[in-house]
């Protein structure tokens, strides 16, 4: 069976380092591994509108930002199809049919939806579109017959919901859809990178982000203001690593070679952690290391972005061409789905013949 990737992001803002470690970095590695037959990367504007219906400009403006982030991080339009969700109306049609296979009770149990509802403060006024976006995500994944969805931990319930829809669809209508699997980051710190406030996960909607395209000075300011261990007051105090955001980021980004370059008194992160927990290591020194590591990691991305920003029409052209390719693929899956569901009335000769026979007696 073909190995196919589908994944994407909501254009609710520029991409941040949580996206990078949670999904984007992995996508680029998978793309360059040559192990996948097809890679589809979707800018999920229709999904973003489910909780931003009153702010279409935000979504519209961020499409090109996300595309710039993708390509500057290494997604290559000659190897991966980058497209815009709303340009593929077949996805909406699939969602309508899949909605019949899911109960409201099942949607209510989705833990990511639960926490997102709380975060967005909808109260009792939950938009139906938001509530049902896991169904639309099943359409996105299955339309491309994706086998693999590289994503952060928050996407697990979405992929599980998709698996259930596939199972139920294939059971009722015959083997048609492909069951996808999530590909989580190997590194625990990357599953759900916290925001710089240390509270919730880093999220565009919460404003606790370090952006991939962050200006170097701004990034340094953010790192120096980051949440650490509130009880680590004097340098001599033993520090705790638990819930210490600076160390979580180091876990996500730091490699041994960074120590040789930026902090040669230590060989690796384990040694630094040991010193911190014993006492005698100040937060400022650790934050400076993190800033250096992040700057080194993000500098090539920033430079590539500066190049791409000079040719915005090219970026839109990539999205347009990608959307055309994606649409053909989704349309072909929709045809199969409708045939399986017996809603292909006009190209079913047997159906027409049976009707003729019925009335010719
Ligand atoms: P929004 O607040 O609009 O939902 P978001 O920051 O949660 O935005 P999404 O576009 O919803 O970003 O997520 C895109 C991808 O990035 C998903 O695969 C998600 O798992 C991953 N991701 C997002 N935030 C993080 C994070 N903090 N840590 C790890 N992965 C993340
Ligand atoms: Mg999200």
């Amino acid at each position: 069976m073909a190995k196919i990737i589908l994944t994407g992001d909501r254009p609710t803002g520029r991409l941040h380092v949580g996206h990078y470690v949670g999904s984007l970095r992995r996508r680029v590695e998978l793309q360059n591994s040559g192990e996948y037959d097809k890679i589809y990367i979707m800018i999920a504007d229709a999904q973003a509108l489910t909780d931003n219906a009153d702010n279409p400009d935000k979504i519209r403006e961020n499409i090109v930002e996300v595309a710039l982030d993708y390509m500057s991080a290494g997604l290559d339009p000659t190897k991966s199809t980058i497209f815009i969700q709303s340009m593929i109306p077949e996805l909406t049609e699939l969602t309508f049919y899949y909605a019949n296979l899911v109960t409201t009770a099942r949607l209510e149990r989705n833990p990511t939806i639960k926490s997102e509802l709380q975060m967005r403060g909808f109260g009792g006024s939950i938009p139906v579109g938001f509530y049902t976006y896991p169904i639309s995500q099943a359409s996105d994944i299955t339309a491309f017959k994706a086998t693999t969805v590289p994503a952060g931990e928050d996407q697990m319930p979405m992929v599980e919901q998709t698996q259930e829809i596939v199972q139920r669809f294939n059971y009722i209508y015959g083997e048609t859809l492909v069951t996808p699997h999530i590909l989580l980051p190997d590194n625990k710190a990357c599953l759900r990178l916290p925001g710089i406030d240390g509270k919730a996960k880093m999220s565009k909607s919460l404003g606790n982000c370090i952006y991939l395209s962050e200006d170097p000075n701004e990034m340094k300011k953010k790192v120096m203001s980051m949440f650490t261990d509130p009880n680590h007051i004097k340098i001599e105090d033993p520090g705790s690593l638990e819930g210490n955001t600076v160390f979580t980021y180091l876990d996500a980004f730091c490699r041994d070679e960074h120590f040789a370059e930026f902090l040669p008194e230590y060989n690796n992160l384990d040694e630094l952690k040991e010193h911190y927990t014993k006492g005698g290591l100040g937060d400022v020194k650790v934050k400076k290391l993190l800033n250096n590591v992040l700057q080194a990691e993000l500098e090539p991305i920033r430079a590539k972005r500066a190049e791409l920003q000079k040719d915005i029409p090219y970026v839109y052209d990539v999205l347009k061409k990608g959307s055309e390719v994606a649409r053909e693929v989704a349309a072909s899956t929709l045809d199969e789905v409708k045939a399986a569901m017996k809603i292909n009335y006009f190209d079913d000769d047997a159906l027409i013949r049976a009707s003729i026979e019925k009335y010719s007696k």
Side-chain angles (χ1 to χ4, degrees):
M1 191 169 60
K3 287 173 81 179
I4 299 175
I5 287 178
L6 178 285
T7 183
D9 305 270
R10 295 153 37 98
T12 48
R14 286 175 291 153
L15 297 187
H16 53 63
V17 295
H19 295 119
Y20 186 63
V21 298
S23 174
L24 189 49
R25 183 164 65 180
R26 188 69 167 281
R27 289 178 210 170
V28 175
E29 283 165 14
L30 296 173
Q31 167 194 273
N32 296 336
S33 75
E35 279 177 28
Y36 285 82
D37 299 294
K38 295 266 185 252
I39 301 179
Y40 298 98
I41 311 289
M42 183 182 80
I43 303 184
D45 62 333
Q47 188 190 116
L49 283 166
T50 64
D51 57 333
N52 289 281
D54 55 352
N55 201 355
D57 283 333
K58 175 167 124 186
I59 307 307
R60 184 181 171 83
E61 283 157 19
N62 278 307
I63 285 179
V64 71
E65 299 298 334
V66 172
L68 282 165
D69 286 332
Y70 280 168
M71 290 194 269
S72 35
L75 286 178
D76 174 352
T78 66
K79 295 180 184 158
S80 300
T81 303
I82 305 176
F83 69 97
I84 304 177
Q85 185 184 25
S86 63
M87 295 296 103
I88 324 293
E90 287 77 6
L91 298 176
T92 326
E93 204 172 330
L94 283 174
T95 304
F96 195 72
Y97 296 127
Y98 292 170
N100 301 334
L101 308 178
V102 181
T103 64
T104 53
R106 176 65 184 87
L107 290 174
E108 261 165 36
R109 280 203 309 275
N110 186 313
T112 299
I113 294 286
K114 274 192 198 161
S115 73
E116 288 182 341
L117 284 176
Q118 207 173 16
M119 239 163 64
R120 289 171 179 52
F122 285 129
S125 322
I126 305 166
V128 173
F130 183 81
Y131 193 64
T132 57
Y133 90 70
I135 304 176
S136 106
Q137 229 168 294
S139 306
D140 306 333
I141 297 170
T142 56
F144 297 93
K145 302 210 156 97
T147 49
T148 311
V149 181
E153 198 181 33
D154 61 320
Q155 294 305 308
M156 253 164 86
M158 309 304 165
V159 178
E160 279 164 14
Q161 175 71 84
T162 305
Q163 290 166 342
E164 288 171 32
I165 290 174
V166 168
Q167 203 179 17
R168 200 155 153 66
F169 188 100
N170 288 349
Y171 175 73
I172 301 174
Y173 304 114
E175 209 57 37
T176 312
L177 303 173
V178 174
T179 305
H181 296 282
I182 193 165
L183 189 65
L184 293 169
D186 298 326
N187 180 337
K188 202 166 145 268
C190 302
L191 286 172
R192 187 180 291 255
L193 198 76
I196 52 171
D197 54 3
K199 283 188 199 124
K201 102 175 168 69
M202 182 177 289
S203 161
K204 290 177 237 110
S205 305
L206 290 177
N208 58 2
C209 306
I210 294 179
Y211 293 99
L212 273 184
S213 53
E214 196 81 64
D215 160 81
N217 291 324
E218 200 51 39
M219 183 153 90
K220 186 166 182 199
K221 261 195 249 162
K222 287 189 176 176
V223 171
M224 298 317 281
S225 75
M226 262 169 77
F227 182 84
T228 56
D229 169 9
N231 299 317
H232 185 236
I233 297 160
K234 294 199 288 300
I235 291 185
E236 316 81 82
D237 291 340
S240 166
L241 303 174
E242 190 60 37
N244 190 321
T245 315
V246 176
F247 278 96
T248 309
Y249 281 36
L250 284 173
D251 277 330
F253 281 98
C254 195
R255 295 187 301 272
D256 290 356
E257 57 263 36
H258 287 133
F259 283 90
E261 198 178 347
F262 302 123
L263 208 55
E265 311 125 75
Y266 305 88
N267 286 310
N268 52 46
L269 190 53
D270 287 337
E271 285 184 21
L272 189 81
K273 285 180 176 172
E274 201 185 312
H275 192 183
Y276 190 79
T277 46
K278 213 166 65 194
L281 174 60
D283 282 341
V284 170
K285 195 164 175 179
V286 185
K287 285 178 172 177
K288 279 190 176 154
L289 169 69
L290 175 61
N291 177 54
N292 283 328
V293 168
L294 283 176
Q295 301 281 5
E297 197 80 354
L298 299 188
E299 176 44 38
I301 298 178
R302 233 182 252 138
K304 182 83 194 287
R305 202 184 211 271
E307 277 308 303
L308 287 162
Q309 281 170 194
K310 291 183 196 150
D311 195 358
I312 295 295
Y314 164 72
V315 179
Y316 277 102
D317 195 50
V318 164
L319 294 176
K320 186 160 180 253
K321 295 213 169 87
S323 299
E324 283 161 11
V325 170
R327 187 163 183 193
E328 274 184 35
V329 179
S332 144
T333 305
L334 179 65
D335 280 345
E336 289 173 44
V337 161
K338 288 171 79 172
M341 292 180 72
K342 302 189 184 296
I343 41 183
N344 56 340
Y345 311 116
F346 305 132
D347 52 11
D348 187 351
D349 288 341
L351 172 74
I352 299 169
R353 255 188 283 122
S355 302
I356 296 171
E357 241 169 69
K358 182 175 165 192
Y359 290 106
S360 64
K361 280 176 198 148

